[in-house]
């Protein structure tokens, strides 16, 4: 498993990339370690027809952070894949950006669980996402 002291998380995330969907949604990683990952996402362009941030957008932000954090923890030659995700939306963002803060609940050899708290610009919690990832070895090439 990777240690935060042996790999610069932001460099790792930059090299790996966040994926086309996260790019399309405007997600930007601002902090990235095994113990804490932070990203922002604009509300504009990611809303429901009534102008609220789409619930699925919260989940994309949460899964992007949680899966990437699990993969950093997994280390070279291993792959973390999501096996469960859930979200509870408690408020609605209408403008500006939201910020997701991802912290581990469990970091095991074959399973990780992360909680992602997503807040609006006033610091109000809008959504709580929990993701479980299974870590497996990459197939030999």
């Amino acid at each position: 498993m990777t240690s935060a002291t042996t790999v610069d998380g932001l460099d790792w995330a930059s090299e790996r990339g966040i994926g086309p969907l996260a790019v399309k949604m405007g997600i930007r990683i601002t902090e990235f370690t095994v113990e804490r990952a932070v990203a922002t996402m604009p509300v504009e362009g990611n809303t429901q027809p009534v102008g609220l941030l789409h619930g699925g957008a919260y989940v994309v932000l949460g899964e992007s952070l949680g899966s990437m954090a699990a993969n950093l923890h997994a280390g070279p030659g291993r792959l973390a894949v999501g096996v469960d995700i859930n979200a509870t939306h408690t408020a609605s963002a209408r403008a500006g950006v939201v910020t997701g803060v991802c912290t581990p609940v469990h970091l095991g050899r074959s399973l990780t669980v992360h909680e992602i708290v997503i807040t609006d610009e006033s610091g109000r919690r809008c959504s709580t996402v929990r993701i479980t990832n299974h870590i497996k070895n990459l197939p030999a090439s």
Side-chain angles (χ1 to χ4, degrees):
M1 288 178 272
T2 302
S3 163
T5 59
T6 60
V7 172
D8 181 282
L10 276 175
D11 287 346
W12 179 90
S14 178
E15 284 179 28
R16 181 181 179 93
I18 60 172
L21 176 59
V23 169
K24 197 176 286 191
M25 295 185 72
I27 295 173
R28 297 197 188 288
I29 295 174
T30 59
E31 181 182 336
F32 204 81
T33 68
V34 169
E35 293 299 325
R36 180 179 155 96
V38 180
T40 61
M41 181 179 66
V43 173
E44 185 176 344
N46 294 317
T47 59
Q48 303 172 342
V50 296
L52 305 175
L53 185 62
H54 195 289
Y58 289 115
V59 176
V60 171
L61 176 57
E63 184 161 3
S64 296
L65 278 171
S67 291
M68 287 187 65
N71 274 286
L72 179 61
H73 167 71
R78 306 197 73 207
L79 176 67
V81 294
V83 294
D84 182 66
I85 191 164
N86 64 69
T88 302
H89 310 308
T90 52
S92 300
R94 295 178 174 272
V97 299
V98 293
T99 301
V101 177
C102 173
T103 55
V105 174
H106 173 76
L107 294 174
R109 196 174 67 75
S110 62
L111 201 69
T112 64
V113 179
H114 287 85
E115 178 182 70
I116 303 90
V117 174
I118 303 171
T119 57
D120 65 13
E121 289 180 334
S122 70
R124 179 179 58 154
R125 186 183 293 224
C126 295
S127 187
T128 305
V129 179
R130 191 186 74 142
I131 184 169
T132 303
N133 281 279
H134 169 66
I135 299 173
K136 60 185 186 174
N137 292 326
L138 285 172
S141 20

